Amino acid sequence: TPPPPPPQPPGAPPPMSPPPNPPSCNGVWLDTEDEQVSGCWVLTDPGQSCVTFCGSLAATDWAATISKGSNERVVTSLTKRYLEGDFSYAVNVDQPCGKVSRDAPTGQYLYMKDAYGWDCYDKETFLLIDGTFQSPCKCGESPEIPVLEAITSGAYAGGAVLGIVAGAGALLDLFGPSVGWRSR
């Protein structure tokens, strides 16, 4: 038998795999140390709220949208992506805008095309905006609904409604006014 091969000197460690690609993003993907800024940001069509764009309130990252919509990096990136040539100013950048609240927000940082600029606007929120505004939005992931649980709950609810309607019909037949049908 041949002698065993001599030991090999330690080599360089295997190359690290590249970082994963960001998830699908139809807007601007930002990667920062600030978790609320990191992620996919979009600029809605005029009059389109974040809730409408994202598909639901549950799918809207409302806290990031309110608190970080005026972030300089968010505003600059969205301006470059969506507003090339349609932009002249941004005021109150990196300033708080509106109460950070899911149910009672008070304002939002928005782009107003007619004014060619960004600013904080009272009474405009991620829930509903006027047709003159476009909103920076960060959508989250929709919560997953367990399919079996949804089917079971729907079946129980449907059965309950059917039972109530059938019971009401039976009571009406027994105790309700007599209705005579005429035939000619």
Side-chain angles (χ1 to χ4, degrees), residues 70 75 87 89-95 109-110 117-121:
S70 67
V75 172
F87 167 76
Y89 72 94
V91 295
N92 297 313
V93 175
D94 286 327
Q95 299 300 312
Y109 200 77
L110 301 168
W118 294 88
D119 202 351
C120 179
Y121 294 93

Side-chain angles (χ1 to χ4, degrees), residues 94-137:
D94 286 327
Q95 299 300 312
C97 178
K99 178 179 157 190
V100 180
S101 167
R102 186 189 78 147
D103 299 321
T106 58
Q108 188 176 343
Y109 200 77
L110 301 168
Y111 176 74
M112 183 183 221
K113 185 176 177 124
D114 294 341
Y116 300 102
W118 294 88
D119 202 351
C120 179
Y121 294 93
D122 288 336
K123 299 183 178 100
E124 303 293 335
T125 71
F126 68 93
L127 297 167
L128 182 67
I129 62 171
D130 186 82
T132 59
F133 297 106
Q134 291 176 262
S135 178
C137 299

Side-chain angles (χ1 to χ4, degrees), residues 39-146:
C40 185
W41 285 85
V42 296
L43 186 65
T44 66
D45 289 332
Q48 185 179 33
S49 71
C50 292
V51 170
T52 303
F53 180 88
C54 296
S56 70
L57 179 57
T60 304
D61 188 342
W62 56 269
T65 296
I66 296 169
S67 64
K68 300 299 181 177
S70 67
N71 176 275
E72 185 272 331
R73 189 151 174 213
V74 171
V75 172
T76 301
S77 298
L78 291 176
T79 298
K80 285 179 183 175
R81 166 80 160 79
Y82 293 96
L83 305 172
E84 230 20 80
D86 234 3
F87 167 76
S88 62
Y89 72 94
V91 295
N92 297 313
V93 175
D94 286 327
Q95 299 300 312
C97 178
K99 178 179 157 190
V100 180
S101 167
R102 186 189 78 147
D103 299 321
T106 58
Q108 188 176 343
Y109 200 77
L110 301 168
Y111 176 74
M112 183 183 221
K113 185 176 177 124
D114 294 341
Y116 300 102
W118 294 88
D119 202 351
C120 179
Y121 294 93
D122 288 336
K123 299 183 178 100
E124 303 293 335
T125 71
F126 68 93
L127 297 167
L128 182 67
I129 62 171
D130 186 82
T132 59
F133 297 106
Q134 291 176 262
S135 178
C137 299
K138 184 179 178 192
C139 300
E141 293 189 23
S142 296
E144 287 199 26
I145 300 172

